[in-house]
Amino acid sequence: MLRSRFPTAHHFTVSIFGCQYHANSPNATKQQLINGFESLIKGAALHVEELEQNNLPSKVWMSYWPSPQAFKSWWETAETASFWDSLPNDAGFWRETVSFPATRAMYESNGENPSGFGHCGELLGLNGKTGYWGAYRSRMTPATPDDKFSSPLSTTPEPRPLTDKIRHGRVRMTQFPDNICFVVEGQDYSAMKEKERTYWNENFDGLTKQWITNVVTSGPSQGMLSARACHSFAGDKTLGATNIKANGSSLKTDGSTIFPGLDYVRQVQVLFWLDLAKMEHMGRWDKVHVKLRRRFMETYAPGGAVEDGDLLLWVDVGVLKGNEVDAEYVGCYDGTGFLAYDDHPEFASKIDDSAVGLPAFFDEPIASEPIEW
């Protein structure tokens, strides 16, 4: 297992972009906008992962940047600024940009090549601080002894539901509560050999699909602010670990409806929780997750049935202060992402006729001093 040591002289940045098709597939005008944006972002970031949202026809770009200042340099170039500023008021484009110090971010993966946050730091072997409840929390550095990474909100606000009504124009989110917890969980089944694939289909496929379904549909009652289940974007979409039989006999779940799109070979869940405690609680509380976690650790540990397996997993976790989040929505469905909260006082927004510059946070590097572990 590997972790990442992040730079301490400045934050690193993840900017998630999306384009809603507002149809089953993009029309010629929308495809031209998608192509234009891709020509700007490809090669500019450390890495760009192209995804498609499972339940909402959309293209999603997860982009990783060495620092907020590097992102700003690209964002404010004449070409990028002109493109974003000229988007039509029904474009369906959105951006959620988040930045993390080394003190409040962690990455873990079983893959030698970086995924997710792994692109933003130095990969190192994982030491003993893992595998137990609370491991994520103990690997972050609180600002003070009393800092519990807790939200100032006593309850998770109710979002406006996602509808097919387009919110025309440009909405810029200008305020966020402290300590939103950003989590990415990723799975890639492409390297699995027959032995592991067969074992996975018989023992993990249903549990994994049920857990992903539970988490992305959990909603405010479990502290979820925004959840997107995505799969790798490609012209020909390849099924992943299992080929579901016509009678469904290879899929063992608790009988609940399974979230769409969970058979693709590479999958990514992008999650914003109210705070770290909400994420930890669901991990301990959800019986499917507890069973999946226990069985996985037994099976893939030394001496387990598939200890030499080739399944790729990774997880990113970061805790954000309010000024470390910046989001903008241009002609998106009402209820998209943080737009669903723009009538809440802790998620203030501003309507603009044109794009605006990034907030002051992006101007100068901010150093951090993480604990050694």
Side-chain angles (χ1 to χ4, degrees):
M1 298 292 289
L2 296 172
R3 61 186 175 104
S4 189
R5 176 183 289 159
F6 300 115
T8 59
H10 51 76
H11 287 54
F12 66 91
T13 294
V14 180
S15 192
I16 314 164
F17 294 89
C19 177
Q20 298 171 348
Y21 302 156
H22 296 156
N24 289 330
S25 59
N27 60 25
T29 300
K30 189 67 65 80
Q31 188 61 55
Q32 186 176 15
L33 289 174
I34 290 171
N35 294 343
F37 180 73
E38 286 189 344
S39 70
L40 293 170
I41 197 169
K42 284 187 174 179
L46 291 171
H47 178 73
V48 179
E49 178 149 15
E50 298 178 62
L51 303 167
E52 190 166 24
Q53 192 166 338
N54 291 9
N55 64 329
L56 181 68
S58 307
K59 182 147 189 186
V60 176
W61 298 264
M62 293 278 291
S63 63
Y64 301 87
W65 305 80
S67 69
Q69 292 71 48
F71 176 77
K72 180 179 180 177
S73 294
W74 170 78
W75 183 247
E76 295 187 351
T77 61
E79 295 82 3
T80 306
S82 175
F83 174 87
W84 198 261
D85 192 53
S86 64
L87 287 172
N89 66 3
D90 61 350
F93 270 75
W94 53 267
R95 170 183 63 86
E96 294 167 355
T97 304
V98 290
S99 297
F100 304 92
T103 51
R104 287 184 271 108
M106 57 144 290
Y107 163 81
E108 188 172 319
S109 176
N110 64 343
E112 295 182 0
N113 295 319
S115 298
F117 283 7
H119 294 286
C120 301
E122 175 191 4
L123 295 185
L124 303 171
L126 192 65
N127 66 10
K129 279 197 174 182
T130 186
Y132 61 90
W133 297 119
Y136 294 164
R137 183 179 293 270
S138 70
R139 290 160 62 180
M140 296 184 186
T141 307
T144 69
D146 296 326
D147 183 7
K148 306 299 183 184
F149 307 116
S150 299
S151 174
L153 302 181
S154 58
T155 60
T156 308
E158 287 283 343
R160 287 196 308 280
L162 183 68
T163 70
D164 59 0
K165 179 182 179 182
I166 296 175
R167 179 87 168 267
H168 289 82
R170 185 184 306 272
V171 181
R172 178 73 172 273
M173 303 298 296
T174 59
Q175 182 176 317
F176 299 85
D178 283 343
N179 296 327
I180 289 175
C181 181
F182 175 76
V183 177
V184 174
E185 295 186 353
Q187 311 88 34
D188 192 318
Y189 306 103
S190 60
M192 277 181 162
K193 298 180 179 64
E194 183 177 356
K195 172 188 172 183
E196 183 183 11
R197 186 178 296 269
T198 299
Y199 194 94
W200 184 273
N201 289 345
E202 293 176 351
N203 295 275
F204 288 106
D205 185 55
L207 281 173
T208 302
K209 289 181 171 68
Q210 189 67 63
W211 162 242
I212 294 174
T213 298
N214 291 356
V215 74
V216 299
T217 61
S218 58
S221 66
Q222 296 298 324
M224 184 65 70
L225 290 171
S226 174
R228 296 185 181 95
C230 304
H231 54 264
S232 182
F233 187 91
D236 295 322
K237 300 177 181 67
T238 305
L239 289 178
T242 186
N243 291 317
I244 302 299
K245 297 177 182 178
N247 62 5
S249 60
S250 66
L251 179 60
K252 301 173 184 177
T253 72
D254 65 0
S256 302
T257 301
I258 298 299
F259 202 78
L262 299 185
D263 275 318
Y264 290 102
V265 70
R266 187 175 175 94
Q267 300 177 41
V268 178
Q269 299 86 50
V270 184
L271 313 170
F272 288 93
W273 300 82
L274 184 67
D275 61 19
L276 183 61
K278 295 295 187 183
M279 185 268 284
E280 291 175 319
H281 173 75
M282 186 164 185
R284 294 188 179 99
W285 168 84
D286 187 272
K287 294 180 180 179
V288 174
H289 181 255
V290 172
K291 183 177 180 180
L292 173 63
R293 180 178 180 271
R294 181 178 65 250
R295 186 178 293 181
F296 181 86
M297 293 181 73
E298 293 171 352
T299 303
Y300 278 83
V306 285
E307 62 173 311
D308 56 347
D310 295 307
L311 169 69
L312 170 63
L313 299 175
W314 74 96
V315 61
D316 303 324
V317 180
V319 175
L320 295 154
K321 298 304 179 185
N323 66 341
E324 296 166 347
V325 191
D326 190 65
E328 192 172 1
Y329 304 87
V330 186
C332 293
Y333 290 130
D334 197 26
T336 299
F338 292 117
L339 188 60
Y341 302 98
D342 76 331
D343 56 355
H344 190 280
E346 291 290 335
F347 291 88
S349 67
K350 178 182 179 181
I351 298 174
D352 285 292
D353 294 329
S354 61
V356 294
L358 294 169
F361 169 80
F362 289 82
D363 293 343
E364 300 292 337
I366 300 173
S368 61
E369 297 183 5
I371 56 174
E372 288 295 328
W373 57 274

